[in-house]
């Protein structure tokens, strides 16, 4: 069951209502019992497909990455005072790639050089949720469910952790890199989907907001002896058992929290913790990934997957009105973001390939939706226009760019993991509205494709307090078979 959000209400009321219902769903999850795996559905026993990937790295472009200024270039007109906004489709020229006839945007020359290893989906679509809150769309993308729900839905990485389990029993199966969950806007909404939901704490993410500090997070404090470390772990377990919040948690969720502590303790005592220390890489390698937090996150992700991590998300970090959230100064911001993501993504693909890991590692570049210069949501939407620079003609550089949310067609790039190489799937219109006009791919079907690659049936479900809950909404997601090699 979902809760309805009134799209006509003022945004602050919508957000307040959204937070209230997310909180209720989280509380309901903590009080629920153990999720029970459904062994069959209306079509009989659930059969898992043969996996084409062992690990998944999601490169998350949080904030709404404009496809016409990245992976789906359209007609380009350079900055010029007096340029009509209605004529502005792409603000970067197209450049060739390693695939004959395929072009992406200027500024992504490195990624262009490895597109012969990629499948490019140009027809991903998102539902128009009326009141377009980034957090709602990000929740939907990461869990497959439009929020708020009656219980907290698990993140895609938590599904993999629960259904497939870890590749290496010492390594966390689900690791989240680069996103702060405190001190940033919409932090409570971010926490709502960066979680294992009803699966319990042991399947939730290890959060590493600063890749350069990851090594500290998996080591005992400096100067602490081994015996003192053991004693503190025992004391911490006792404090959890005696906590007043214990009454708000079912036995299952308390035991899951304790198991997550056991897992963390095991990691802190293992040799695998060295994988978290990016300073162990040669300086020349670190330089190739760039000096951004995202670049360091990509390097860390490669090291973690090498050591047996199942699912790693690396984000450019979602902060309202920063990075990909281009409500103003769109072109200038995009130019900066191109420079931030191009070197590390390129190097990540080359490094995985050089190590013989790319074929069994699914790397995904994605965002919650695209951008347009004129249209909010999609044609016919009643979503409020959130552009900060509402002009009909370009008068200065800050007007030049794609400032409005667009859900009618966006791009997703997939490398390795059994996907085709040098392949383009789907198409958006060449003129506005830039809707997906060939082979649209819904979030349900995109998730089904990802989970099929990882060896999980899209129809996998669990019983939660008498309600079936599936890895794709209502078990209806269908893998896009044309994408597989």
């Amino acid at each position: 069951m979902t809760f309805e959000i009134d799209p006509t209400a003022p945004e602050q009321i919508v957000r307040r209502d959204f937070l209230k219902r997310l909180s209720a769903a989280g509380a309901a999850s903590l009080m629920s019992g153990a999720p029970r795996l459904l062994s069959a559905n209306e079509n009989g026993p659930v059969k898992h497909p043969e996996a084409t990937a062992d690990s998944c790295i999601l490169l998350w472009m949080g904030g709404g990455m404009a496809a016409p200024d990245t992976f789906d270039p359209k007609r380009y007109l350079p900055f010029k005072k007096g340029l009509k906004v209605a004529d502005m489709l792409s603000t970067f020229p197209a450049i060739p790639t390693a695939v004959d006839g395929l072009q992406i945007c200027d500024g992504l020359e490195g990624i262009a050089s490895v597109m012969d290893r990629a499948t490019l989906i140009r027809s991903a679509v998102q539902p128009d949720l009326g009141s377009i809150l980034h957090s709602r769309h990000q929740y939907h993308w990461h869990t497959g469910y439009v929020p708020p729900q009656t219980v907290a839905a698990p993140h895609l990485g938590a599904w993999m952790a629960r259904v497939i389990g870890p590749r290496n029993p010492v390594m966390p199966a689900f690791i989240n890199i680069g996103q702060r969950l405190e001190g940033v806007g919409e932090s409570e909404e971010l926490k709502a989907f960066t979680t294992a939901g009803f699966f319990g704490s042991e399947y939730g993410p290890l959060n590493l907001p600063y890749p350069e500090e990851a090594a500290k997070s998996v080591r005992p404090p400096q100067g602490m002896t081994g015996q003192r470390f053991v004693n503190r772990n025992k004391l911490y377990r006792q404090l959890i058992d005696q906590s007043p919040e214990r009454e708000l948690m079912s036995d299952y969720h308390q035991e899951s929290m304790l198991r997550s502590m056991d897992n963390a303790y095991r990691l802190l005592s293992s040799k695998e913790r060295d994988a978290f220390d990016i300073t162990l890489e040669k300086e020349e390698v670190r330089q190739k990934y760039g000096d951004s937090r995202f670049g360091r996150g990509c390097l860390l992700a490669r090291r973690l997957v090498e050591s047996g991590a199942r699912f790693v998300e690396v984000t450019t970090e979602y902060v309202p009105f920063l990075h990909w959230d281009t409500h103003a100064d769109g072109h200038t911001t995009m130019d900066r973001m191109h420079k931030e993501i191009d070197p590390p993504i390129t190097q990540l693909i080359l490094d995985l390939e050089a190590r013989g890991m790319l074929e069994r590692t699914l790397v995904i570049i994605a965002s919650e939706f695209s951008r347009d210069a004129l249209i909010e949501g999609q044609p016919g939407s009643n979503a409020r226009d959130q552009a900060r620079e509402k002009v009909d003609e370009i008068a200065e550089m800050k007007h030049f760019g794609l400032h409005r949310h667009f859900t009618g067609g966006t791009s997703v790039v997939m490398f390795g993991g059994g996907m085709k190489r040098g392949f383009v799937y789907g198409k958006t219109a060449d003129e506005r509205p830039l809707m997906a006009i060939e082979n649209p791919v819904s979030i349900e079907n995109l998730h089904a494709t990802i989970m099929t690659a990882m060896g999980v049936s899209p129809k996998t479900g669990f019983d939660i307090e008498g309600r079936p809950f599936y890895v794709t909404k209502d078990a209806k997601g269908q893998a896009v078979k044309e994408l597989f090699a």
Side-chain angles (χ1 to χ4, degrees), residues 144-174:
Y145 286 80
V146 175
Q149 298 283 319
T150 53
V151 294
H155 188 290
L156 198 64
W159 277 99
M160 294 183 196
R162 174 63 179 85
V163 179
I164 315 172
R167 288 174 56 217
N168 178 339
V170 174
M171 289 292 289
F174 173 15

Side-chain angles (χ1 to χ4, degrees), residues 131-350:
S131 179
I132 299 180
L133 296 176
H134 285 275
S135 44
R136 289 192 79 205
H137 282 270
Q138 291 193 63
Y139 187 112
H140 184 202
W141 201 102
H142 283 90
T143 70
Y145 286 80
V146 175
Q149 298 283 319
T150 53
V151 294
H155 188 290
L156 198 64
W159 277 99
M160 294 183 196
R162 174 63 179 85
V163 179
I164 315 172
R167 288 174 56 217
N168 178 339
V170 174
M171 289 292 289
F174 173 15
I175 301 171
N176 187 50
I177 302 172
Q179 179 67 59
R180 290 169 293 171
L181 298 177
E182 300 290 348
V184 294
E186 300 187 21
S187 58
E188 294 305 313
E189 294 96 324
L190 290 168
K191 292 176 189 175
F193 66 79
T194 311
T195 173
F198 55 72
F199 282 144
S201 301
E202 63 193 296
Y203 303 108
L206 172 60
N207 289 309
L208 303 169
Y210 295 97
E212 60 274 19
E213 297 178 4
K216 295 180 182 178
S217 69
V218 293
R219 288 179 182 152
Q222 190 172 5
M224 180 171 286
T225 64
Q227 186 58 48
R228 185 181 169 200
F229 180 56
V230 170
N231 292 340
R232 192 170 78 162
N233 184 53
K234 291 179 179 178
L235 177 60
Y236 192 43
R237 294 172 66 91
Q238 293 173 6
L239 289 174
I240 287 180
D241 191 49
Q242 296 168 5
S243 169
E245 294 183 2
R246 171 68 182 89
E247 297 179 3
L248 303 177
M249 300 173 65
S250 67
D251 289 341
Y252 170 78
H253 280 277
Q254 187 202 27
E255 291 163 4
S256 182
M257 180 179 289
L258 293 174
R259 284 193 294 270
S260 71
M261 291 178 58
D262 289 338
N263 294 339
Y265 179 74
R266 187 164 57 246
L267 174 61
L268 265 63
S269 308
S270 73
K271 63 180 177 59
E272 280 86 354
R273 70 187 189 187
D274 285 346
F276 292 79
D277 190 351
I278 60 175
T279 66
L280 298 178
E281 289 282 344
K282 294 179 180 179
E283 177 63 24
E284 62 194 58
V285 174
R286 295 201 301 258
Q287 288 181 357
K288 290 178 180 178
Y289 280 85
D291 60 0
S292 69
R293 189 145 54 105
F294 176 73
R296 291 188 288 273
C298 287
L299 174 57
L300 178 58
R302 192 215 77 206
R303 291 177 59 84
L304 297 176
V305 167
E306 279 185 286
S307 293
R310 177 72 71 185
F311 177 91
V312 181
E313 178 168 346
V314 187
T315 174
T316 52
E317 189 173 51
Y318 173 67
V319 179
F321 308 115
L322 287 177
H323 311 316
W324 299 106
D325 194 12
T326 53
H327 289 286
D329 293 305
H331 176 85
T332 303
T333 302
M334 290 296 289
D335 185 52
R336 173 172 58 82
M337 296 308 298
H338 286 171
K339 291 179 173 67
E340 182 174 327
I341 71 166
D342 190 53
I345 292 177
T346 305
Q347 196 59 40
L348 174 63
I349 300 307
L350 293 174

Side-chain angles (χ1 to χ4, degrees), residues 345-359:
I345 292 177
T346 305
Q347 196 59 40
L348 174 63
I349 300 307
L350 293 174
D351 274 5
L352 289 172
E353 185 176 59
R355 287 163 170 74
M357 296 169 57
L358 185 58
E359 282 304 309

Side-chain angles (χ1 to χ4, degrees), residues 11-26:
E11 184 176 359
Q12 64 269 27
I13 295 178
V14 170
R15 185 170 182 267
R16 193 182 308 132
D17 191 31
F18 180 43
L19 282 172
K20 180 179 178 181
R21 290 174 176 178
L22 285 177
S23 178

